[in-house]
Amino acid sequence: MTQEQLSEAISVTVGYVSQIERGITKVNLETLSKIADSLECDMTEFLGGMSHNSAEYLSNDLKMVFFKLNPANKKILLGISQILLQNQQ
């Protein structure tokens, strides 16, 4: 989507969209919501930086938890993960 198309979709100027994109101006939640709707994505992608549909969603969080576990709990987590994978298919 071009800046022109987005600006038209959310009823703002192209210059304003450009300023948002370049980090020159801040955007309020209402405008952010309009942008997310126009791009057909969830606002959490903007706020959290990651989509629920992204392949990397929560990967770093899972890695951090895994590395903090002792060996016995790592084995349990691996077993649970394998069960989840089987049930998802």
Side-chain angles (χ1 to χ4, degrees), residues 6 27 31-37 39 41-51:
L6 181 59
V27 61
T31 302
L32 185 62
S33 177
K34 289 179 184 179
I35 292 170
D37 288 343
L39 298 175
C41 62
D42 192 80
M43 273 185 54
T44 57
E45 290 183 58
F46 293 113
L47 300 174
M50 191 70 62
S51 167

Side-chain angles (χ1 to χ4, degrees), residues 8 17 27 31 42 49 57 59-60 62 69 76 80 86 89:
E8 187 176 312
V17 170
V27 61
T31 302
D42 192 80
Y57 178 67
S59 292
N60 287 337
L62 287 169
L69 293 174
I76 292 169
I80 292 170
Q86 290 171 357
Q89 296 171 353

Side-chain angles (χ1 to χ4, degrees), residues 39-84:
L39 298 175
E40 298 179 2
C41 62
D42 192 80
M43 273 185 54
T44 57
E45 290 183 58
F46 293 113
L47 300 174
M50 191 70 62
S51 167
H52 292 282
N53 297 325
S54 169
E56 291 83 31
Y57 178 67
L58 294 179
S59 292
N60 287 337
D61 294 333
L62 287 169
K63 286 179 199 173
M64 293 299 292
V65 168
F66 183 79
F67 288 122
K68 291 179 183 178
L69 293 174
N70 64 39
N73 285 334
K74 284 180 180 179
K75 188 172 182 178
I76 292 169
L77 181 58
L78 179 61
I80 292 170
S81 298
Q82 290 169 333
I83 291 168
L84 290 172

Side-chain angles (χ1 to χ4, degrees), residues 3 11 36 58 86 88:
Q3 289 180 347
S11 302
L58 294 179
Q86 290 171 357
Q88 147 178 313

Side-chain angles (χ1 to χ4, degrees), residues 1-18 21 35 38-39:
M1 177 177 282
T2 66
Q3 289 180 347
E4 290 82 11
Q5 291 168 326
L6 181 59
S7 67
E8 187 176 312
I10 64 172
S11 302
V12 299
T13 67
V14 175
Y16 184 63
V17 170
S18 176
E21 186 176 339
I35 292 170
S38 296
L39 298 175

